[in-house]
Amino acid sequence: MNHLITFMLMICSLTATAQQKTTEQEQQKQHTEKHRPQFHFSPPANWMNDPNGMVYHKGVYHLFYQYYPDSTVWGPMHWAHATSKDLVSWENKPTALFPDSLGYIFSGSAVVDSLNTTGFAKNGEIPLVAIFTHHSPKPELEKIKKNQYQSLAYSLDDGDTWTKYEGNPVLNNPGIIDFRDPKVMWHEASKKWIMTLATKDRITFYSSPNLKEWAKESEFGAELGAHGGVWECPDLFPLDLNGKKVWVLLVSINPGAPNGGSGTQYFTGSFDGKTFVPESEETKFIDYGTDNYAGITWSNTGDRKVFLGWMNNWQYANVVPTTAWRGAATLPRDLKLVQVDGKTYLSSTPVKELDKITKSAYKKSNVSLAKEVDLSKYIANAKGQFKVDLSFDEAESFSITLSNKLGQQLIVGYDKEAKQYYIDRTQAGQSKFEAGFAKKHLAPRISQDKQIKLSLIADVASVELFADNGLTVMTDVFFPEETISNLKVASPKNKKLSEINVSRIESIYK
Ligand code: FRU
C-alpha cells in the first residue's frame, strides 16, 4: 500500500514537473512569436485594447486592460490584469473583471480610497476601487441610447481579487449613445472625487463624496478641439509649470487623428473642481504617430505623471498580422509641461526605469555627416531592439533608415522646409491587411531650438520617436518580415552629428 502511495506521489510529481515544463515552454514560445514586442507590454494571448484602471499602490503599478480571452479580435470585454514593480517587467495576474448581467466591462480607472469614503473596507483595509463603464449588448437599451452606464468594483486585498458593488450602476445614462470611460481623481481643494467622462462629442465632469453618488458639474469641449470622431478615454490631472499648477485634459478621438484613425488630443487650462477652462484654442496631440490610443496616467503617483497608451489604431487593430495575440502597450512615459513661445505643451519621455534594460553599444561625439553614417554593426545582434540618441548640430533635414535583409525599410526623418518630422512605413513590411496602413505620417516640430536632439526606440514591431525632449512624439507599429539589422543616418546639409549613442534593449522575457 505504502509503495503504491509513493508510486502515485512520484507520478503526480512527475506530471506536475512536466506540466510546469510545458507551461514554461509555452511561455517561451509565446515570447518568440513573429512580431512579439520584447520590451513593451503585450497580453500572453488573445485580444487587448485600452489600458484601464492604472493605479500605483504599495510599490506596485497595476495595469488592467480591455481584454477578450476567447479570440484575437475584439469581443465581450473583460479587464485583464498585470502588475509591475518597475514599469519594465510585468507579471500576468488572473482576469480581474468579467462581463455580467449589466454588460461588458468597458474602459475606466481605479483609485486608492485611503479615506474609505466608499465604506467598502470593514476591517481597516485600504480599498482599491475600479470605476468602469458597463456596456450592455441589449438592442432595446441601445435603441433608447441607454446601454452604457458607470459601475464600481473594489478590492480589499491590494488588487488580487475584485468584487462588483451590489448597487451598480452608480451613474445612469441620461440618453447619450457614447457615455463612457470614467477617469476618477481625488480633488483635494473641494474634498471630492471628480469623474471625467467621455460623452459623445464632449467631456462631462461629475463629482461625488463617496464614488457612489454622482452630481453633474459641467461640460467641456463641444466646440473646441478635434471632432472628426467620437470622444473617448479622457484623463484630467494637474502638472507643475514653473511653480504654477496647470491642468491637463487628455481626450482620445476615433477617428479624426492627424494621420488617420485614432489619436489623443490634449488641452491645458484650469480646473476648480467644477469647470475646466482652456487657456488656448489650439488643437494639440500627445503623439502624432498612428499607434498611441486611449492612453491615460497612473493614479496615486504623487507629482509624477506616468502615461501609457494602447499601441494600435482602430483603423486596423482587428487585422494586424500577429497570431496568438493582438495589441500591445506603448512604452510608459513621463509627462511634463513645457513652454514654447508663450504656449504650453506636453512633453512625453520614456520612463527612466528603462535604463535598466538599455545597454550602450556605441557612443561618439562630433561625427561628420559628409557621408551617410552607417550604424548597422552596433545593432547587428540587437534583434531589432534598440535605441538611438542623436544630436544634430543644426535643424536641417535628415533621415534615419531602419532596414532588413529583404530590403524592407522604415524611414524616420525631419523635413526642414515643412518643419515636420515624419515616419514613412510605406515599404516597411507586411501591409496588405489594411489599405491605409502603408503611409508616411507627419508631425509638426514644436521646438524652436537650433539643434535637434532625438531618441528613437525600436522594438521588434514598433518605433517610438521622442524628438526635442518629447515635445514632438510619434509612435508607429510596423511588421517587417525579417529582423531589422541595418541602421543608417543621412543628412545632406547637416555638417555633423554632435552626439551619437546607440544602445541595445534587452528583452523583458527570460
Ligand atoms: C476605446 C474604446 C473605449 C471603450 C473600449 C471598448 O478604444 O472604444 O471607448 O470603453 O474601447 O473596448
Side-chain angles (χ1 to χ4, degrees), residues 290-312:
T290 41
D291 298 286
N292 178 357
Y293 191 59
I296 48 170
T297 59
W298 262 276
S299 69
N300 203 35
T301 49
D303 289 341
R304 187 178 184 196
K305 275 289 150 198
V306 186
F307 168 97
L308 189 85
W310 174 43
M311 196 157 61
N312 218 329

Side-chain angles (χ1 to χ4, degrees), residues 56-61 84-86:
Y56 181 64
H57 177 58
K58 296 191 178 166
V60 175
Y61 292 91
S84 175
K85 290 197 171 128
D86 58 5

Side-chain angles (χ1 to χ4, degrees), residues 351-369:
V351 295
K352 61 177 180 331
E353 284 86 340
L354 273 166
D355 292 352
K356 249 173 61 174
I357 53 165
T358 309
K359 309 285 162 198
S360 183
Y362 175 70
K363 211 173 166 176
K364 196 146 192 212
S365 314
N366 296 323
V367 178
S368 162
L369 262 170

Side-chain angles (χ1 to χ4, degrees), residues 199-262:
T199 50
K200 195 173 176 218
D201 59 348
R202 65 196 69 185
I203 295 301
T204 307
F205 297 105
Y206 293 84
S207 71
S208 170
N210 55 11
L211 296 171
K212 293 172 176 169
E213 291 139 42
W214 293 94
K216 181 171 166 178
E217 294 291 349
S218 66
E219 291 181 0
F220 165 79
E223 264 123 51
L224 210 67
H227 280 279
V230 68
W231 281 22
E232 299 184 316
C233 298
D235 195 356
L236 175 75
F237 51 87
L239 279 177
D240 175 86
L241 179 65
N242 307 326
K244 209 180 113 203
K245 195 189 240 190
V246 175
W247 288 81
V248 179
L249 176 62
L250 305 181
V251 179
S252 280
I253 176 173
N254 177 54
N259 286 293
S262 333

Side-chain angles (χ1 to χ4, degrees), residues 49-50 66 74 77 106-107 180-181 232-233 293-294 310 314:
N49 59 293
D50 317 352
Q66 290 286 278
W74 189 89
M77 286 289 107
F106 269 22
S107 288
R180 58 177 180 264
D181 309 338
E232 299 184 316
C233 298
Y293 191 59
W310 174 43
W314 279 118

Side-chain angles (χ1 to χ4, degrees), residues 24-330:
E24 278 168 18
Q25 274 165 1
E26 269 166 15
Q27 274 178 4
Q28 198 57 41
K29 214 174 95 213
Q30 276 163 8
H31 306 141
T32 54
E33 297 136 327
K34 198 169 180 188
H35 307 310
R36 171 70 83 174
Q38 291 298 308
F39 54 88
H40 287 80
F41 177 80
S42 60
N46 296 312
W47 170 267
M48 160 185 185
N49 59 293
D50 317 352
N52 294 151
M54 289 146 61
V55 59
Y56 181 64
H57 177 58
K58 296 191 178 166
V60 175
Y61 292 91
H62 292 265
L63 167 64
F64 301 85
Y65 56 94
Q66 290 286 278
Y67 179 59
Y68 184 36
D70 296 332
S71 174
T72 51
V73 294
W74 189 89
M77 286 289 107
H78 298 54
W79 272 27
H81 187 197
T83 57
S84 175
K85 290 197 171 128
D86 58 5
L87 293 166
V88 175
S89 53
W90 294 93
E91 188 183 331
N92 294 303
K93 298 281 191 181
T95 299
L97 298 175
F98 292 78
D100 56 41
S101 61
L102 289 173
Y104 306 158
I105 315 298
F106 269 22
S107 288
S109 49
V111 294
V112 181
D113 182 17
S114 5
L115 301 175
N116 195 23
T117 62
T118 50
F120 287 146
K122 296 285 177 249
N123 301 308
E125 309 96 334
I126 301 176
L128 292 185
V129 185
I131 309 95
F132 60 90
T133 300
H134 256 128
H135 169 97
S136 170
K138 290 185 185 147
E140 62 272 23
L141 283 179
E142 191 177 341
K143 221 186 225 162
I144 55 166
K145 301 184 180 164
K146 291 197 172 196
N147 63 332
Q148 297 186 340
Y149 26 79
Q150 321 316 319
S151 291
L152 305 180
Y154 59 94
S155 169
L156 300 178
D157 56 6
D158 301 326
D160 279 349
T161 58
W162 291 80
T163 307
K164 298 216 184 84
Y165 172 47
E166 74 243 355
N168 281 341
V170 292
L171 177 59
N172 266 310
N173 191 324
I176 301 171
I177 188 79
D178 297 296
F179 189 73
R180 58 177 180 264
D181 309 338
K183 181 71 160 74
V184 173
M185 57 158 294
W186 178 251
H187 189 253
E188 187 51 39
S190 54
K191 303 254 180 283
K192 283 185 305 195
W193 296 104
I194 298 295
M195 179 195 291
T196 306
L197 193 70
T199 50
K200 195 173 176 218
D201 59 348
R202 65 196 69 185
I203 295 301
T204 307
F205 297 105
Y206 293 84
S207 71
S208 170
N210 55 11
L211 296 171
K212 293 172 176 169
E213 291 139 42
W214 293 94
K216 181 171 166 178
E217 294 291 349
S218 66
E219 291 181 0
F220 165 79
E223 264 123 51
L224 210 67
H227 280 279
V230 68
W231 281 22
E232 299 184 316
C233 298
D235 195 356
L236 175 75
F237 51 87
L239 279 177
D240 175 86
L241 179 65
N242 307 326
K244 209 180 113 203
K245 195 189 240 190
V246 175
W247 288 81
V248 179
L249 176 62
L250 305 181
V251 179
S252 280
I253 176 173
N254 177 54
N259 286 293
S262 333
T264 302
Q265 60 187 320
Y266 69 91
F267 306 88
T268 52
S270 63
F271 182 73
D272 60 358
K274 282 181 170 298
T275 317
F276 179 83
V277 181
E279 60 185 10
S280 131
E281 304 259 305
E282 201 182 335
T283 307
K284 304 165 196 161
F285 281 80
I286 195 167
D287 191 318
Y288 284 84
T290 41
D291 298 286
N292 178 357
Y293 191 59
I296 48 170
T297 59
W298 262 276
S299 69
N300 203 35
T301 49
D303 289 341
R304 187 178 184 196
K305 275 289 150 198
V306 186
F307 168 97
L308 189 85
W310 174 43
M311 196 157 61
N312 218 329
N313 190 314
W314 279 118
Q315 199 177 311
Y316 41 73
N318 277 288
V319 292
V320 291
T322 57
T323 45
W325 86 102
R326 267 211 187 89
T330 64

